């Protein structure tokens, strides 16, 4: 059985790929601005609304955790949709689901029912999953030596929306529109207006992708793959390809750690569905030690980031911080996540993805140590810690994603990418749940020190892998170019 590739759109034979890639990255960047506004606006208020409606810090943590679970649930279906019908339909569908989730969450706020709020946040999580899928879309036509760079440009575009989002939440709150439930002293709680702003942003993101992402980059990549396989069959010994039409080892991007590409075409999954996609993606990752390291880096970075970030607004709320101050801190954190991503992508392409993973882990560790001792009213120290948390997360996401792409065959990438986003968001959900439990039974400091212990173990894993690579060469590994 031959690999399943999305059916090319009519008229796509061999378009000017670099021009299509530039257009693709531009459209994705624009959609990320809108998507970033939606995600950041909702995230900045959801835990506060859940806390007000339920009176529980544990439920407050569940609001963001539910969104992360929602992102994990839709990750594989979105990748399957992309595999069958292309990136355009997949991304637009994800943003529409997020639009409906934001509307449902706003309705729950007005009706003062936290279970309905959690249901809305479950659908809302599709916005995060779609934004993450966009980064892989940027690599469909990217040159191997520019994968991390192109991927990071799309991630960077999220900066604008993500910084605007929490501040829009604060601004709409001041307008007094759609006030939340009244407290025991008559003061109203957090407004539903920020969630309506989020829904409009997701609608704009869906429209931009649906109308402008043409031609579909995955369709173009599929057409080129078919043409390349045909050419390889006619001349199997041509330079740069092996007898299966796969890219030769010397053409692999300088990731630092890359297993030799498979010379055997990987069969398509025997049947569609969530479990089949999960099993197919895991089979590919299990065959590559480099892919396993990349996946671990992505999951650990996201778990730590979600755990600490989700509980910071609650921690600051205990110190009496206003929504405006909390919004500024979260905006600074999100800026840390995205502003430096092009620099991180460039560094990953130049010095090796694995080395950037080590740097990112060290920055995450520094962040956990800084916020561990921060009182709830020390917004300055919390801001510094959360900015570093964002930068460390960016290193793990950009370098880990690029390393994962380099380590997997082209025909299996949509399945692996879906599994990666599923595992990443599942890790974030675990981090959010554990964070809520730790805050409820102990403190924010205990949560931070727990994250630090996990990061030390992660750094030992990545450093050990690098040391083994830099020693006597292991089979299937390529040396790092500097």
């Amino acid at each position: 059985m031959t690999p399943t590739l999305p059916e090319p759109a009519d008229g796509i034979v061999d378009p000017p790929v670099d021009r299509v890639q530039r257009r693709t990255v531009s459209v994705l960047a624009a959609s990320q601005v809108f998507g970033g506004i939606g995600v950041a606006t909702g995230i900045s208020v959801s835990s506060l609304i859940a806390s007000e409606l339920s009176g529980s810090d544990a439920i407050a943590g569940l609001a963001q955790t539910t969104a992360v679970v929602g992102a994990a649930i839709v990750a594989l279906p979105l990748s399957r949709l992309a595999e069958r019908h292309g990136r355009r339909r997949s991304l637009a569908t994800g943003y529409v689901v997020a639009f409906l989730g934001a509307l449902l969450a706003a309705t729950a706020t007005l009706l003062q029912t936290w279970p309905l709020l959690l249901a809305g946040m479950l659908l809302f999580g599709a916005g995060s999953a779609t934004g993450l899928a966009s980064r892989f879309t940027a690599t469909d036509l990217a040159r191997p030596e520019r994968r991390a760079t192109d991927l990071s440009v799309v991630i960077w575009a999220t900066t604008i929306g993500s910084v605007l989002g929490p501040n829009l939440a604060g601004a709409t709150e001041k307008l007094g529109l759609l006030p939340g439930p009244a407290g025991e002293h008559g003061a109203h709680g957090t407004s539903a207006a920020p969630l309506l702003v989020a829904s409009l942003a997701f609608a704009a993101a869906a429209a931009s992708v649906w109308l402008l992402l043409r031609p579909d980059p995955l369709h173009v990549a599929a057409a080129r793959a078919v043409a390349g396989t045909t050419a390889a069959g006619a001349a199997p010994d041509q330079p740069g390809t092996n007898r299966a039409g796969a890219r030769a080892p010397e053409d692999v991007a300088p990731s630092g750690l890359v297993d030799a590409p498979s010379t055997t075409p990987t069969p398509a999954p025997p049947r569609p569905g969530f479990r089949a996609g999960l099993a197919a993606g895991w089979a590919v990752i299990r065959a590559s030690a480099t892919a396993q390291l990349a996946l671990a880096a992505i999951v650990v970075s996201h778990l730590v980031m979600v755990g600490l970030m989700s509980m910071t607004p609650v921690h600051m709320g205990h110190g009496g911080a206003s929504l405006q101050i909390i919004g500024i801190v979260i905006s600074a954190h999100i800026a840390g996540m995205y502003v430096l991503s092009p620099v991180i992508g460039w560094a990953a392409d130049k010095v090796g993805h694995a080395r950037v993973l080590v740097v990112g882990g060290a920055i995450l560790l520094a962040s956990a140590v800084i916020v561990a001792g921060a009182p709830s009213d020390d917004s300055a120290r919390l801001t510094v810690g959360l900015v570093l948390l964002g930068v460390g997360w960016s290193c793990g996401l950009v370098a880990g994603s690029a390393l994962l792409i380099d380590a997997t065959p082209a025909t299996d990438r949509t399945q692996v990418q879906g599994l990666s986003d599923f595992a990443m968001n599942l890790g974030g959900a675990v981090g959010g749940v554990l964070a809520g439990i730790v805050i409820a039974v102990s403190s924010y400091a205990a949560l931070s020190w727990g994250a630090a212990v996990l990061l030390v173990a992660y750094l030992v894993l990545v450093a050990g892998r690098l040391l083994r690579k830099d020693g006597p060469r292991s089979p299937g590994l390529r040396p790092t170019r500097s």
Side-chain angles (χ1 to χ4, degrees):
M1 184 180 294
T2 57
T4 301
L5 293 171
E7 183 178 347
D10 292 340
I12 294 181
V13 180
D14 190 12
V17 174
D18 286 343
R19 187 177 68 190
V20 174
Q21 174 65 359
R22 287 193 297 270
R23 176 180 172 84
T24 297
V25 171
S26 298
V27 172
L28 292 173
S31 69
Q32 287 289 80
V33 172
F34 295 120
I37 290 175
V39 171
T41 303
I43 290 298
S44 66
V45 299
S46 61
S47 61
L48 295 173
I49 294 174
S51 179
E52 292 166 359
L53 295 179
S54 67
S56 167
D57 285 348
I59 298 298
L62 276 180
Q64 293 190 29
T65 301
T66 303
V68 176
V69 170
I73 290 173
V74 303
L76 278 170
L78 287 179
S79 72
R80 302 285 293 191
L81 189 61
E83 188 177 19
R84 293 181 177 184
H85 302 290
R87 299 288 192 183
R88 175 170 158 265
R89 183 177 297 185
S90 175
L91 297 180
T93 299
Y95 281 130
V96 168
V97 173
F99 162 76
L100 296 174
L103 282 182
L104 184 59
T107 302
T109 303
L110 294 174
L111 296 178
Q112 303 182 26
T113 168
W114 65 262
L116 187 61
L117 174 69
L118 296 185
M121 294 307 294
L122 189 71
L123 297 177
F124 182 97
S128 297
T130 307
L132 291 172
S134 294
R135 80 191 192 278
F136 285 128
T137 305
T139 68
D140 287 337
L141 296 174
R143 296 179 182 274
E145 67 275 10
R146 283 189 53 86
R147 281 182 184 138
T149 302
D150 287 355
L151 179 153
S152 66
V153 168
V154 173
I155 293 176
W156 173 86
T158 312
T159 306
I160 302 171
S162 297
V163 172
L164 284 175
N167 291 290
L168 283 174
T172 54
E173 184 75 14
K174 284 186 174 182
L175 292 175
L177 302 174
L178 302 175
E184 58 182 32
H185 300 296
H188 285 284
T190 305
S191 167
L195 292 169
L196 290 179
V197 170
S199 69
L200 292 175
F202 286 136
S208 64
V209 168
W210 184 256
L211 296 174
L212 301 177
L213 194 61
R214 300 170 184 268
D216 190 297
L218 198 57
H219 287 165
V220 176
R224 287 172 57 81
V226 170
T229 302
T230 303
D237 294 323
Q238 66 184 19
T241 60
N242 55 36
R243 293 182 183 274
R247 187 158 38 89
E250 61 266 25
D251 294 330
V252 178
S255 302
L257 299 171
V258 179
D259 298 302
S262 171
T263 57
T264 303
T266 304
R271 59 184 176 85
F274 183 89
R275 293 180 61 185
L278 194 66
W282 177 242
V284 177
I285 290 177
R286 189 173 55 186
S288 166
T290 298
Q292 293 169 29
L293 176 66
L295 182 62
I298 294 170
V299 171
V300 170
S301 298
H302 198 60
L303 185 153
V304 170
M305 188 277 291
V306 171
L308 291 179
M309 183 272 292
S310 64
M311 287 294 103
T312 300
V314 177
H315 179 59
M316 295 181 69
H318 290 163
S322 67
L323 182 60
Q324 194 76 22
I325 295 298
I326 293 173
I328 291 172
V329 173
I330 296 300
S331 292
H333 162 68
I334 295 173
M337 292 171 66
Y338 300 117
V339 167
L340 294 179
S341 56
V343 177
I344 293 168
W346 174 84
D349 282 333
K350 294 298 181 182
V351 305
H353 304 154
R355 289 195 172 100
V356 173
L357 292 181
V358 173
V359 173
I363 294 174
L364 287 172
L365 179 59
S367 166
V369 172
I370 288 171
V371 301
S376 58
D377 59 353
D378 191 349
S379 57
R381 184 168 178 177
L382 287 168
T383 300
V384 172
L386 260 68
V387 168
L388 291 177
L389 181 68
V391 174
W393 172 89
S394 185
C395 290
L397 182 69
V398 171
S401 299
L403 183 60
L404 185 66
I405 293 168
D406 284 350
T408 53
T411 52
D412 297 314
R413 281 178 187 153
T414 54
Q415 295 171 345
V416 171
Q417 290 160 10
L419 174 61
S420 169
D421 286 347
F422 169 77
M424 174 181 177
N425 286 294
L426 185 63
V430 170
V433 169
L434 291 178
I437 294 173
V438 171
I439 288 290
V441 303
S442 185
S443 66
Y444 185 76
L447 172 65
S448 303
W449 285 119
V453 171
L454 174 62
L455 289 166
V456 169
Y458 163 72
L459 282 170
V460 170
L461 171 68
V462 179
R465 178 80 169 138
L466 270 176
L467 288 174
R468 287 197 299 272
K469 186 271 304 180
D470 287 334
R473 186 177 305 180
S474 303
L477 298 180
R478 286 179 51 76
T480 303
R481 290 188 218 166
S482 56

